[in-house]
Amino acid sequence: MTDLPKKAAAKWSRLLRVEADAQALTNSCLRELSEANRLLDNAPHGPRAPSLRAVIIEGRARLVELQQRHREAAALNTHLLRWLERNRSVELEDLPAARPRLLKGDTAVDAIARVRDRIAALRGEHTATEGAMLPIGDLKALVRSHVQTLAERARPKIAAASDKVEVTFRSKGEGWSNKPDLEGLLAWLDPAAFEARLCEELAGTAGTSLRLSPEEKSAALSKLRAEMDALEREEEALIEMAIDTNGVTIERRASASPAAILGVRQKQQARAMA
């Protein structure tokens, strides 16, 4: 596992303690339930039977809550550990905690819901941007390049002897054959016409899909990732605020950024942003 900087290491230790404490409380509740059940089995009609049944009912409800709390803590720490293992060779540095923003009348819980809605919307934009098609002009340039490649590949080889001519064609593999590659032959016979017909077919796929050049897509994705990173760090700050000021524990999302939770970033990322 990668070495964590000071603040991140302290937080990681705290999260591990939360999991261990949740496990200890769950085990304690199980022991109490076991003992109550034992006493009730021994004296089902004794004077303590009603109170023991009440303890068992209350204990079962509490056990469900404690087990859920432990599952959440364990899932979070597994999520973080896997990320740390994948980044074992990456040098990390602490970042100052994000400043959570509360709108007028907001509680930390309200603000977290608002931030999570925005993160979800940005993830949708990110997915749409990743799937954006190239502009028609760029696609036509790809068609032209494809036709040129086909035509060059399909150019026949002619061998002339004293009384005959032998024509062979390059196959779709590496060898030669007396059977032409039809697609390539069409491109070789009339590349302009073949290209024009392919572009006509291409125009029919235009639709209303998002279209971006590689440069535009890269810039848009970088902007979206930066905004999502800032929001995830704000979300984590709000979760910590809810714990510190209200004693409210809010489950972190399964897809929450480990870097945001631990408050770190890669050092080379910091140099790139400088």
Side-chain angles (χ1 to χ4, degrees), residues 253-273:
R253 292 175 296 110
S255 60
S257 161
I261 293 171
L262 294 172
V264 294
R265 71 176 172 191
Q266 296 181 17
K267 279 200 170 180
Q268 56 264 40
Q269 181 184 0
R271 288 196 295 271
M273 294 173 65

Side-chain angles (χ1 to χ4, degrees), residues 133-135 138 211-218:
M133 294 180 65
L134 288 168
D138 289 22
R211 293 185 180 276
L212 296 169
S213 69
E215 295 77 15
E216 289 170 334
K217 179 184 284 191
S218 177

